[in-house]
Amino acid sequence: MQAAQLLERLLTCISDDIVPLTARRIADGRGKVFGAAILRKSDLSLVIAECNIDVECPLWHGETYCIKRFYDLPPTERPSPKDCFFLTTHEPCSLCLSAITWSGFDNFYYFFTHEESRDNFDDPYDMKVIQSVFKTPVEGEPNETRERHALYNRKNEFFEAISLDGLLGDVEDAYSRERLAKKMTGLRVAYVDLVEKQRKNKAGFALTKTSLHDAEPGK
């Protein structure tokens, strides 16, 4: 499958399926800006799209709730995870990385990076948890060196993680690449609007207390 075709479909899924649902959840005070979707590899049709709803359960990040809804489908309507693309608006946290792995998906595509989640989406916890829990320091290694290590292996025996920016770089046709880049810019603007509404909506920004030093991870 050509990169342009796949990227076009993934961006359309975000704009047409994930963003409207996310806007409704934020307006209702039931979720945050993190969403996910599952699409068939064969024809890129949508299987399920979801977004964060962690006011109901702190484990219902965008990705985990999407997987939950995926497995709620009747077996006759549910494709094998290996036959699906997994799309996430934000690079998954440690919880969601594990959920994607254990659910059997061999890939995921993400739009915003961990750094963007930290800097633009009021969520420094994803990086903090991975660095604090999983990044075993080498004896004598300075903290600043340790912090420059990759947070996780984006290509491993279980899955391959691909950024939409990286997929854009694989688009060979200059016209298509420019058009898709503009579409990505438009989505970034849409998410700026969503996160501002989340911040302004006290109910929509209600955070679920956790046992992790009162931090509120929640994608």
Side-chain angles (χ1 to χ4, degrees), residues 14 33-36 61-64 86-98 100 108-118 121 123-128 130 149-156 159-165 188 191 218-219:
I14 294 175
V33 295
F34 308 102
H61 296 193
E63 298 94 327
T64 52
F86 198 101
L87 170 65
T88 178
T89 59
H90 297 69
E91 194 170 6
C93 68
S94 54
L95 168 67
C96 297
L97 285 172
S98 296
I100 291 168
F108 66 82
Y109 290 79
Y110 62 93
F111 190 13
F112 298 103
T113 65
H114 281 306
E115 289 77 10
E116 288 174 300
S117 292
R118 177 194 63 198
F121 292 95
D123 194 351
Y125 308 109
D126 292 353
M127 294 184 69
K128 182 178 180 181
I130 293 175
H149 292 182
L151 288 177
Y152 64 98
N153 295 319
R154 288 178 173 83
K155 187 172 184 179
N156 55 68
F159 63 75
E160 182 174 6
I162 302 166
S163 73
L164 296 193
D165 281 326
R188 290 183 186 279
Y191 270 89
K219 292 172 62 176

CSV table of all heavy atoms in Angstrom, one decimal, residues 14 33-36 61-64 86-98 100 108-118 121 123-128 130 149-156 159-165 188 191 218-219:
chain,number,residue,atom,x,y,z
A,14,ILE,N,-9.0,10.4,11.7
A,14,ILE,CA,-8.8,11.4,12.9
A,14,ILE,C,-9.8,12.5,12.8
A,14,ILE,O,-10.6,12.8,13.7
A,14,ILE,CB,-7.4,11.9,13.0
A,14,ILE,CG1,-6.4,10.8,13.3
A,14,ILE,CG2,-7.3,13.0,14.1
A,14,ILE,CD1,-5.0,11.2,13.3
A,33,VAL,N,-8.4,14.7,25.3
A,33,VAL,CA,-8.1,14.9,23.8
A,33,VAL,C,-7.5,13.7,23.2
A,33,VAL,O,-7.1,13.7,22.0
A,33,VAL,CB,-7.2,16.1,23.5
A,33,VAL,CG1,-8.0,17.4,23.9
A,33,VAL,CG2,-5.9,16.0,24.3
A,34,PHE,N,-7.3,12.6,23.9
A,34,PHE,CA,-6.6,11.4,23.4
A,34,PHE,C,-7.5,10.4,22.8
A,34,PHE,O,-8.5,9.9,23.5
A,34,PHE,CB,-5.8,10.8,24.5
A,34,PHE,CG,-4.9,11.8,25.3
A,34,PHE,CD1,-5.3,12.3,26.5
A,34,PHE,CD2,-3.8,12.3,24.7
A,34,PHE,CE1,-4.6,13.2,27.2
A,34,PHE,CE2,-3.0,13.2,25.4
A,34,PHE,CZ,-3.4,13.7,26.6
A,35,GLY,N,-7.3,10.0,21.5
A,35,GLY,CA,-8.2,9.1,20.9
A,35,GLY,C,-7.5,8.0,20.1
A,35,GLY,O,-6.2,8.1,19.9
A,36,ALA,N,-8.2,7.0,19.6
A,36,ALA,CA,-7.6,5.9,18.9
A,36,ALA,C,-8.7,5.3,17.9
A,36,ALA,O,-9.9,5.6,18.1
A,36,ALA,CB,-7.1,4.9,19.8
A,61,HIS,N,-8.0,4.9,28.8
A,61,HIS,CA,-7.3,5.8,27.9
A,61,HIS,C,-7.9,5.7,26.6
A,61,HIS,O,-8.6,4.7,26.3
A,61,HIS,CB,-5.8,5.6,27.9
A,61,HIS,CG,-5.1,5.8,29.3
A,61,HIS,ND1,-3.7,5.9,29.4
A,61,HIS,CD2,-5.6,6.0,30.5
A,61,HIS,CE1,-3.4,6.1,30.6
A,61,HIS,NE2,-4.6,6.2,31.3
A,62,GLY,N,-7.5,6.5,25.6
A,62,GLY,CA,-8.1,6.4,24.3
A,62,GLY,C,-7.8,5.1,23.7
A,62,GLY,O,-8.7,4.4,23.1
A,63,GLU,N,-6.6,4.6,23.8
A,63,GLU,CA,-6.2,3.3,23.2
A,63,GLU,C,-6.9,2.1,23.9
A,63,GLU,O,-7.4,1.2,23.3
A,63,GLU,CB,-4.7,3.1,23.2
A,63,GLU,CG,-3.9,4.2,22.4
A,63,GLU,CD,-3.5,5.3,23.2
A,63,GLU,OE1,-4.2,5.7,24.2
A,63,GLU,OE2,-2.4,5.9,22.9
A,64,THR,N,-6.8,2.1,25.2
A,64,THR,CA,-7.4,1.0,26.0
A,64,THR,C,-8.9,0.9,25.8
A,64,THR,O,-9.4,-0.2,25.7
A,64,THR,CB,-7.0,1.0,27.5
A,64,THR,OG1,-7.3,2.3,28.0
A,64,THR,CG2,-5.5,0.8,27.7
A,86,PHE,N,-3.6,0.0,13.8
A,86,PHE,CA,-4.0,0.6,15.0
A,86,PHE,C,-3.5,2.1,14.9
A,86,PHE,O,-2.4,2.3,14.7
A,86,PHE,CB,-3.4,0.0,16.2
A,86,PHE,CG,-4.1,0.3,17.5
A,86,PHE,CD1,-5.0,-0.5,18.1
A,86,PHE,CD2,-3.8,1.5,18.2
A,86,PHE,CE1,-5.6,-0.2,19.3
A,86,PHE,CE2,-4.5,1.9,19.3
A,86,PHE,CZ,-5.4,1.0,19.9
A,87,LEU,N,-4.5,3.0,15.1
A,87,LEU,CA,-4.2,4.4,14.9
A,87,LEU,C,-4.4,5.1,16.3
A,87,LEU,O,-5.4,4.9,16.9
A,87,LEU,CB,-5.1,5.1,13.9
A,87,LEU,CG,-5.1,6.6,13.8
A,87,LEU,CD1,-3.8,7.1,13.3
A,87,LEU,CD2,-6.2,7.0,12.8
A,88,THR,N,-3.5,5.9,16.7
A,88,THR,CA,-3.6,6.7,17.9
A,88,THR,C,-3.3,8.1,17.7
A,88,THR,O,-2.3,8.4,17.0
A,88,THR,CB,-2.8,6.0,19.1
A,88,THR,OG1,-3.0,6.8,20.3
A,88,THR,CG2,-1.4,5.9,18.7
A,89,THR,N,-4.0,9.0,18.3
A,89,THR,CA,-3.8,10.5,18.1
A,89,THR,C,-2.5,10.9,18.8
A,89,THR,O,-1.8,11.8,18.3
A,89,THR,CB,-4.9,11.3,18.6
A,89,THR,OG1,-5.1,11.1,20.0
A,89,THR,CG2,-6.2,11.0,17.8
A,90,HIS,N,-2.2,10.3,19.9
A,90,HIS,CA,-1.0,10.6,20.7
A,90,HIS,C,-0.2,9.3,20.9
A,90,HIS,O,-0.7,8.3,21.2
A,90,HIS,CB,-1.4,11.3,22.0
A,90,HIS,CG,-2.1,12.6,21.8
A,90,HIS,ND1,-3.3,12.7,21.3
A,90,HIS,CD2,-1.7,13.8,22.1
A,90,HIS,CE1,-3.7,13.9,21.3
A,90,HIS,NE2,-2.7,14.7,21.8
A,91,GLU,N,1.1,9.5,20.9
A,91,GLU,CA,2.0,8.3,21.1
A,91,GLU,C,1.6,7.7,22.4
A,91,GLU,O,1.5,8.3,23.5
A,91,GLU,CB,3.5,8.8,21.1
A,91,GLU,CG,4.5,7.7,21.0
A,91,GLU,CD,5.9,8.2,20.8
A,91,GLU,OE1,6.1,9.5,20.8
A,91,GLU,OE2,6.8,7.4,20.6
A,92,PRO,N,1.5,6.4,22.4
A,92,PRO,CA,0.9,5.7,23.6
A,92,PRO,C,1.8,5.7,24.8
A,92,PRO,O,3.0,5.7,24.8
A,92,PRO,CB,0.7,4.2,23.1
A,92,PRO,CG,0.6,4.3,21.7
A,92,PRO,CD,1.6,5.4,21.3
A,93,CYS,N,1.1,5.8,26.0
A,93,CYS,CA,1.8,5.7,27.3
A,93,CYS,C,2.2,4.2,27.5
A,93,CYS,O,1.9,3.3,26.7
A,93,CYS,CB,1.0,6.2,28.4
A,93,CYS,SG,-0.5,5.2,28.7
A,94,SER,N,2.8,3.9,28.7
A,94,SER,CA,3.3,2.6,29.0
A,94,SER,C,2.1,1.6,29.1
A,94,SER,O,2.1,0.4,28.7
A,94,SER,CB,4.1,2.5,30.3
A,94,SER,OG,3.4,3.2,31.3
A,95,LEU,N,1.0,2.1,29.7
A,95,LEU,CA,-0.2,1.3,29.8
A,95,LEU,C,-0.7,0.9,28.4
A,95,LEU,O,-1.0,-0.3,28.2
A,95,LEU,CB,-1.3,2.0,30.6
A,95,LEU,CG,-2.7,1.4,30.5
A,95,LEU,CD1,-2.8,0.1,31.3
A,95,LEU,CD2,-3.8,2.4,31.1
A,96,CYS,N,-0.8,1.8,27.5
A,96,CYS,CA,-1.4,1.6,26.2
A,96,CYS,C,-0.4,0.8,25.3
A,96,CYS,O,-0.9,0.0,24.5
A,96,CYS,CB,-1.8,2.9,25.6
A,96,CYS,SG,-3.1,3.8,26.5
A,97,LEU,N,0.9,1.0,25.5
A,97,LEU,CA,1.8,0.2,24.7
A,97,LEU,C,1.6,-1.2,25.1
A,97,LEU,O,1.6,-2.1,24.2
A,97,LEU,CB,3.3,0.6,25.1
A,97,LEU,CG,3.8,1.9,24.5
A,97,LEU,CD1,5.1,2.3,25.1
A,97,LEU,CD2,3.9,1.8,23.0
A,98,SER,N,1.5,-1.5,26.4
A,98,SER,CA,1.3,-2.9,26.8
A,98,SER,C,-0.1,-3.5,26.3
A,98,SER,O,-0.2,-4.6,25.9
A,98,SER,CB,1.3,-3.0,28.3
A,98,SER,OG,2.6,-2.6,28.8
A,100,ILE,N,-1.8,-2.6,23.6
A,100,ILE,CA,-1.7,-2.8,22.2
A,100,ILE,C,-0.9,-4.1,21.9
A,100,ILE,O,-1.3,-5.0,21.1
A,100,ILE,CB,-1.0,-1.7,21.5
A,100,ILE,CG1,-1.9,-0.4,21.5
A,100,ILE,CG2,-0.6,-2.0,20.0
A,100,ILE,CD1,-1.2,0.9,21.1
A,108,PHE,N,1.3,0.2,15.3
A,108,PHE,CA,0.4,1.4,15.6
A,108,PHE,C,1.0,2.6,14.9
A,108,PHE,O,2.2,2.7,14.8
A,108,PHE,CB,0.2,1.6,17.1
A,108,PHE,CG,1.3,2.0,17.9
A,108,PHE,CD1,1.8,3.3,18.0
A,108,PHE,CD2,2.0,1.0,18.7
A,108,PHE,CE1,2.9,3.6,18.8
A,108,PHE,CE2,3.1,1.3,19.5
A,108,PHE,CZ,3.5,2.7,19.5
A,109,TYR,N,0.1,3.5,14.5
A,109,TYR,CA,0.5,4.8,13.9
A,109,TYR,C,0.1,5.9,14.8
A,109,TYR,O,-1.1,5.8,15.4
A,109,TYR,CB,-0.2,4.9,12.6
A,109,TYR,CG,0.4,4.0,11.5
A,109,TYR,CD1,0.0,2.6,11.5
A,109,TYR,CD2,1.3,4.4,10.5
A,109,TYR,CE1,0.5,1.8,10.5
A,109,TYR,CE2,1.8,3.6,9.6
A,109,TYR,CZ,1.4,2.2,9.6
A,109,TYR,OH,1.9,1.4,8.6
A,110,TYR,N,1.0,6.8,15.1
A,110,TYR,CA,0.6,7.9,16.0
A,110,TYR,C,0.9,9.3,15.4
A,110,TYR,O,1.8,9.4,14.6
A,110,TYR,CB,1.4,7.8,17.3
A,110,TYR,CG,2.9,7.9,17.2
A,110,TYR,CD1,3.5,9.1,17.4
A,110,TYR,CD2,3.7,6.7,16.9
A,110,TYR,CE1,4.9,9.2,17.3
A,110,TYR,CE2,5.0,6.8,16.8
A,110,TYR,CZ,5.7,8.0,17.0
A,110,TYR,OH,7.0,8.1,16.9
A,111,PHE,N,0.1,10.3,15.8
A,111,PHE,CA,0.2,11.6,15.3
A,111,PHE,C,1.1,12.5,16.2
A,111,PHE,O,2.2,12.8,15.8
A,111,PHE,CB,-1.2,12.2,15.2
A,111,PHE,CG,-1.3,13.5,14.4
A,111,PHE,CD1,-0.2,14.0,13.7
A,111,PHE,CD2,-2.4,14.3,14.5
A,111,PHE,CE1,-0.3,15.2,13.0
A,111,PHE,CE2,-2.5,15.5,13.8
A,111,PHE,CZ,-1.4,15.9,13.0
A,112,PHE,N,0.7,12.8,17.4
A,112,PHE,CA,1.5,13.6,18.3
A,112,PHE,C,2.5,12.8,19.1
A,112,PHE,O,2.1,11.6,19.5
A,112,PHE,CB,0.6,14.4,19.2
A,112,PHE,CG,-0.4,15.3,18.6
A,112,PHE,CD1,-1.7,15.0,18.4
A,112,PHE,CD2,0.1,16.5,18.0
A,112,PHE,CE1,-2.6,15.9,17.8
A,112,PHE,CE2,-0.8,17.4,17.4
A,112,PHE,CZ,-2.1,17.1,17.3
A,113,THR,N,3.7,13.3,19.3
A,113,THR,CA,4.7,12.6,20.0
A,113,THR,C,4.5,12.7,21.5
A,113,THR,O,3.7,13.5,22.0
A,113,THR,CB,6.1,13.1,19.6
A,113,THR,OG1,6.2,14.5,20.1
A,113,THR,CG2,6.3,13.0,18.1
A,114,HIS,N,5.3,11.9,22.3
A,114,HIS,CA,5.3,12.1,23.7
A,114,HIS,C,5.7,13.5,24.1
A,114,HIS,O,5.1,14.1,25.1
A,114,HIS,CB,6.3,11.1,24.4
A,114,HIS,CG,5.8,9.7,24.5
A,114,HIS,ND1,4.6,9.4,25.1
A,114,HIS,CD2,6.3,8.5,24.1
A,114,HIS,CE1,4.4,8.1,25.1
A,114,HIS,NE2,5.4,7.5,24.5
A,115,GLU,N,6.7,14.1,23.4
A,115,GLU,CA,7.1,15.4,23.7
A,115,GLU,C,6.0,16.4,23.5
A,115,GLU,O,5.8,17.4,24.3
A,115,GLU,CB,8.3,15.8,22.9
A,115,GLU,CG,9.6,15.0,23.3
A,115,GLU,CD,9.7,13.6,22.8
A,115,GLU,OE1,8.8,13.2,21.9
A,115,GLU,OE2,10.6,12.8,23.2
A,116,GLU,N,5.2,16.2,22.5
A,116,GLU,CA,4.1,17.1,22.2
A,116,GLU,C,3.0,16.9,23.3
A,116,GLU,O,2.4,17.9,23.7
A,116,GLU,CB,3.5,16.9,20.8
A,116,GLU,CG,4.4,17.4,19.7
A,116,GLU,CD,3.9,17.0,18.4
A,116,GLU,OE1,3.8,15.8,18.1
A,116,GLU,OE2,3.7,18.0,17.6
A,117,SER,N,2.8,15.7,23.8
A,117,SER,CA,1.8,15.5,24.8
A,117,SER,C,2.3,16.2,26.1
A,117,SER,O,1.5,16.8,26.8
A,117,SER,CB,1.7,14.0,25.1
A,117,SER,OG,1.1,13.3,24.1
A,118,ARG,N,3.6,16.2,26.4
A,118,ARG,CA,4.1,16.9,27.5
A,118,ARG,C,4.0,18.4,27.4
A,118,ARG,O,3.6,19.1,28.3
A,118,ARG,CB,5.6,16.5,27.7
A,118,ARG,CG,6.3,17.2,28.9
A,118,ARG,CD,7.8,17.0,28.7
A,118,ARG,NE,8.3,17.6,27.5
A,118,ARG,CZ,9.5,17.3,27.0
A,118,ARG,NH1,10.3,16.4,27.5
A,118,ARG,NH2,9.9,17.9,25.9
A,121,PHE,N,-0.2,19.3,25.6
A,121,PHE,CA,-1.4,18.7,26.0
A,121,PHE,C,-1.5,18.4,27.5
A,121,PHE,O,-2.3,17.5,27.9
A,121,PHE,CB,-1.6,17.4,25.1
A,121,PHE,CG,-1.9,17.7,23.7
A,121,PHE,CD1,-0.8,17.6,22.8
A,121,PHE,CD2,-3.1,18.0,23.2
A,121,PHE,CE1,-1.0,17.9,21.4
A,121,PHE,CE2,-3.3,18.3,21.9
A,121,PHE,CZ,-2.3,18.2,21.0
A,123,ASP,N,0.2,16.8,29.6
A,123,ASP,CA,0.3,15.4,30.0
A,123,ASP,C,1.8,15.0,30.0
A,123,ASP,O,2.3,14.4,29.1
A,123,ASP,CB,-0.4,14.5,29.1
A,123,ASP,CG,-0.5,13.1,29.7
A,123,ASP,OD1,0.1,12.8,30.7
A,123,ASP,OD2,-1.3,12.2,29.2
A,124,PRO,N,2.5,15.4,31.1
A,124,PRO,CA,3.9,15.0,31.2
A,124,PRO,C,4.1,13.6,31.8
A,124,PRO,O,5.2,13.1,31.8
A,124,PRO,CB,4.5,16.0,32.2
A,124,PRO,CG,3.3,16.3,33.1
A,124,PRO,CD,2.1,16.3,32.2
A,125,TYR,N,3.0,13.0,32.2
A,125,TYR,CA,3.1,11.8,32.9
A,125,TYR,C,3.5,10.6,32.1
A,125,TYR,O,4.1,9.6,32.6
A,125,TYR,CB,1.7,11.5,33.6
A,125,TYR,CG,1.2,12.7,34.4
A,125,TYR,CD1,0.1,13.4,33.9
A,125,TYR,CD2,1.8,13.1,35.5
A,125,TYR,CE1,-0.3,14.5,34.6
A,125,TYR,CE2,1.4,14.2,36.2
A,125,TYR,CZ,0.3,14.9,35.8
A,125,TYR,OH,-0.1,16.0,36.4
A,126,ASP,N,3.2,10.6,30.8
A,126,ASP,CA,3.6,9.4,30.0
A,126,ASP,C,5.1,9.2,30.0
A,126,ASP,O,5.6,8.1,30.3
A,126,ASP,CB,3.1,9.6,28.5
A,126,ASP,CG,1.6,9.6,28.4
A,126,ASP,OD1,0.9,9.3,29.4
A,126,ASP,OD2,1.1,9.9,27.3
A,127,MET,N,5.8,10.3,29.7
A,127,MET,CA,7.3,10.2,29.7
A,127,MET,C,7.8,10.0,31.1
A,127,MET,O,8.7,9.2,31.3
A,127,MET,CB,7.9,11.5,29.1
A,127,MET,CG,7.6,11.8,27.7
A,127,MET,SD,8.4,13.2,27.0
A,127,MET,CE,10.1,12.7,27.0
A,128,LYS,N,7.2,10.6,32.1
A,128,LYS,CA,7.7,10.4,33.5
A,128,LYS,C,7.5,9.0,34.0
A,128,LYS,O,8.5,8.4,34.6
A,128,LYS,CB,6.8,11.4,34.4
A,128,LYS,CG,7.3,11.3,35.9
A,128,LYS,CD,6.4,12.3,36.7
A,128,LYS,CE,6.9,12.3,38.2
A,128,LYS,NZ,6.1,13.2,39.0
A,130,ILE,N,7.4,6.2,32.1
A,130,ILE,CA,8.3,5.3,31.3
A,130,ILE,C,9.7,5.5,31.8
A,130,ILE,O,10.5,4.5,32.1
A,130,ILE,CB,8.2,5.6,29.8
A,130,ILE,CG1,6.9,5.1,29.3
A,130,ILE,CG2,9.3,4.8,29.1
A,130,ILE,CD1,6.6,5.5,27.8
A,149,HIS,N,18.1,8.6,26.1
A,149,HIS,CA,17.8,7.3,25.6
A,149,HIS,C,16.3,7.3,25.0
A,149,HIS,O,15.5,8.0,25.5
A,149,HIS,CB,17.9,6.2,26.7
A,149,HIS,CG,19.3,6.0,27.1
A,149,HIS,ND1,19.6,5.1,28.1
A,149,HIS,CD2,20.4,6.6,26.8
A,149,HIS,CE1,20.9,5.1,28.3
A,149,HIS,NE2,21.4,6.0,27.6
A,150,ALA,N,16.1,6.5,24.0
A,150,ALA,CA,14.8,6.3,23.5
A,150,ALA,C,13.9,5.7,24.6
A,150,ALA,O,14.3,4.9,25.4
A,150,ALA,CB,14.8,5.3,22.3
A,151,LEU,N,12.7,6.2,24.6
A,151,LEU,CA,11.7,5.7,25.7
A,151,LEU,C,11.4,4.2,25.5
A,151,LEU,O,11.2,3.5,26.5
A,151,LEU,CB,10.5,6.6,25.7
A,151,LEU,CG,10.6,8.0,26.1
A,151,LEU,CD1,9.3,8.7,26.0
A,151,LEU,CD2,11.0,8.0,27.6
A,152,TYR,N,11.3,3.8,24.3
A,152,TYR,CA,11.0,2.4,24.1
A,152,TYR,C,11.4,2.0,22.6
A,152,TYR,O,11.8,2.9,21.8
A,152,TYR,CB,9.5,2.1,24.2
A,152,TYR,CG,8.6,2.8,23.2
A,152,TYR,CD1,8.1,2.2,22.1
A,152,TYR,CD2,8.3,4.2,23.4
A,152,TYR,CE1,7.3,2.9,21.1
A,152,TYR,CE2,7.5,4.9,22.5
A,152,TYR,CZ,7.0,4.2,21.4
A,152,TYR,OH,6.2,4.9,20.4
A,153,ASN,N,11.5,0.7,22.3
A,153,ASN,CA,11.9,0.2,21.0
A,153,ASN,C,10.7,0.3,20.1
A,153,ASN,O,9.7,-0.5,20.2
A,153,ASN,CB,12.4,-1.2,21.1
A,153,ASN,CG,13.6,-1.3,22.0
A,153,ASN,OD1,14.5,-0.5,21.9
A,153,ASN,ND2,13.6,-2.4,22.8
A,154,ARG,N,10.8,1.3,19.1
A,154,ARG,CA,9.6,1.5,18.2
A,154,ARG,C,9.5,0.4,17.2
A,154,ARG,O,8.4,0.2,16.6
A,154,ARG,CB,9.7,2.8,17.6
A,154,ARG,CG,9.5,4.0,18.5
A,154,ARG,CD,9.6,5.4,17.9
A,154,ARG,NE,9.2,6.4,18.8
A,154,ARG,CZ,9.9,6.9,19.8
A,154,ARG,NH1,11.2,6.5,19.9
A,154,ARG,NH2,9.5,7.8,20.6
A,155,LYS,N,10.5,-0.4,17.0
A,155,LYS,CA,10.4,-1.6,16.2
A,155,LYS,C,11.0,-2.8,17.0
A,155,LYS,O,12.1,-2.8,17.3
A,155,LYS,CB,11.2,-1.4,14.9
A,155,LYS,CG,11.0,-2.5,13.9
A,155,LYS,CD,11.6,-2.2,12.5
A,155,LYS,CE,11.3,-3.3,11.5
A,155,LYS,NZ,11.9,-3.0,10.1
A,156,ASN,N,10.1,-3.8,17.2
A,156,ASN,CA,10.5,-4.9,18.0
A,156,ASN,C,9.8,-6.1,17.6
A,156,ASN,O,9.1,-6.1,16.6
A,156,ASN,CB,10.2,-4.6,19.5
A,156,ASN,CG,8.8,-4.2,19.8
A,156,ASN,OD1,7.9,-5.0,19.6
A,156,ASN,ND2,8.6,-3.0,20.1
A,159,PHE,N,5.6,-5.3,17.7
A,159,PHE,CA,5.0,-4.3,16.9
A,159,PHE,C,6.0,-3.4,16.3
A,159,PHE,O,7.2,-3.3,16.7
A,159,PHE,CB,4.0,-3.5,17.7
A,159,PHE,CG,4.6,-2.7,18.9
A,159,PHE,CD1,5.3,-1.6,18.7
A,159,PHE,CD2,4.4,-3.2,20.2
A,159,PHE,CE1,5.8,-0.8,19.7
A,159,PHE,CE2,5.0,-2.4,21.2
A,159,PHE,CZ,5.6,-1.3,21.0
A,160,GLU,N,5.5,-2.6,15.3
A,160,GLU,CA,6.3,-1.5,14.8
A,160,GLU,C,5.5,-0.2,15.0
A,160,GLU,O,4.3,-0.2,14.6
A,160,GLU,CB,6.6,-1.7,13.3
A,160,GLU,CG,7.4,-0.5,12.7
A,160,GLU,CD,7.9,-0.7,11.3
A,160,GLU,OE1,7.5,-1.7,10.7
A,160,GLU,OE2,8.7,0.1,10.8
A,161,ALA,N,6.1,0.8,15.6
A,161,ALA,CA,5.4,2.1,15.8
A,161,ALA,C,5.9,3.1,14.8
A,161,ALA,O,7.1,3.2,14.5
A,161,ALA,CB,5.8,2.6,17.2
A,162,ILE,N,4.9,3.7,14.1
A,162,ILE,CA,5.3,4.6,13.0
A,162,ILE,C,4.6,6.0,13.2
A,162,ILE,O,3.3,6.0,13.4
A,162,ILE,CB,4.8,4.0,11.6
A,162,ILE,CG1,5.5,2.7,11.4
A,162,ILE,CG2,5.1,5.0,10.5
A,162,ILE,CD1,4.9,1.8,10.3
A,163,SER,N,5.3,7.0,13.2
A,163,SER,CA,4.7,8.4,13.3
A,163,SER,C,4.1,8.8,12.0
A,163,SER,O,4.6,8.4,10.9
A,163,SER,CB,5.7,9.4,13.8
A,163,SER,OG,6.6,9.7,12.7
A,164,LEU,N,3.0,9.6,12.1
A,164,LEU,CA,2.4,10.1,10.8
A,164,LEU,C,3.4,11.0,10.1
A,164,LEU,O,3.4,11.1,8.9
A,164,LEU,CB,1.1,10.7,11.1
A,164,LEU,CG,0.0,9.8,11.7
A,164,LEU,CD1,-1.4,10.5,11.6
A,164,LEU,CD2,-0.1,8.5,11.0
A,165,ASP,N,4.2,11.7,10.9
A,165,ASP,CA,5.2,12.6,10.3
A,165,ASP,C,6.2,11.7,9.5
A,165,ASP,O,6.7,12.1,8.4
A,165,ASP,CB,6.0,13.4,11.3
A,165,ASP,CG,5.2,14.6,11.8
A,165,ASP,OD1,4.4,15.2,11.0
A,165,ASP,OD2,5.3,15.0,13.0
A,188,ARG,N,-3.6,19.7,13.5
A,188,ARG,CA,-3.0,20.3,14.7
A,188,ARG,C,-3.7,21.5,15.2
A,188,ARG,O,-3.9,21.7,16.5
A,188,ARG,CB,-1.5,20.7,14.3
A,188,ARG,CG,-0.6,19.4,14.1
A,188,ARG,CD,0.8,19.8,13.8
A,188,ARG,NE,1.6,18.7,13.4
A,188,ARG,CZ,2.1,17.8,14.2
A,188,ARG,NH1,1.9,18.0,15.5
A,188,ARG,NH2,2.8,16.8,13.8
A,191,TYR,N,-6.7,20.3,17.2
A,191,TYR,CA,-6.4,19.8,18.5
A,191,TYR,C,-6.0,20.9,19.5
A,191,TYR,O,-6.2,20.8,20.7
A,191,TYR,CB,-5.3,18.7,18.4
A,191,TYR,CG,-5.9,17.4,18.3
A,191,TYR,CD1,-6.2,16.9,17.0
A,191,TYR,CD2,-6.3,16.6,19.4
A,191,TYR,CE1,-6.8,15.6,16.8
A,191,TYR,CE2,-6.9,15.4,19.2
A,191,TYR,CZ,-7.2,14.9,18.0
A,191,TYR,OH,-7.8,13.7,17.8
A,218,GLY,N,-3.6,9.9,31.8
A,218,GLY,CA,-4.9,9.5,31.3
A,218,GLY,C,-5.0,9.8,29.8
A,218,GLY,O,-5.4,10.9,29.4
A,219,LYS,N,-4.7,8.9,29.0
A,219,LYS,CA,-4.9,9.1,27.5
A,219,LYS,C,-6.0,8.2,27.0
A,219,LYS,O,-6.4,8.3,25.9
A,219,LYS,CB,-3.6,8.8,26.8
A,219,LYS,CG,-2.5,9.8,27.1
A,219,LYS,CD,-1.2,9.5,26.5
A,219,LYS,CE,-1.2,9.4,25.0
A,219,LYS,NZ,0.1,9.2,24.5
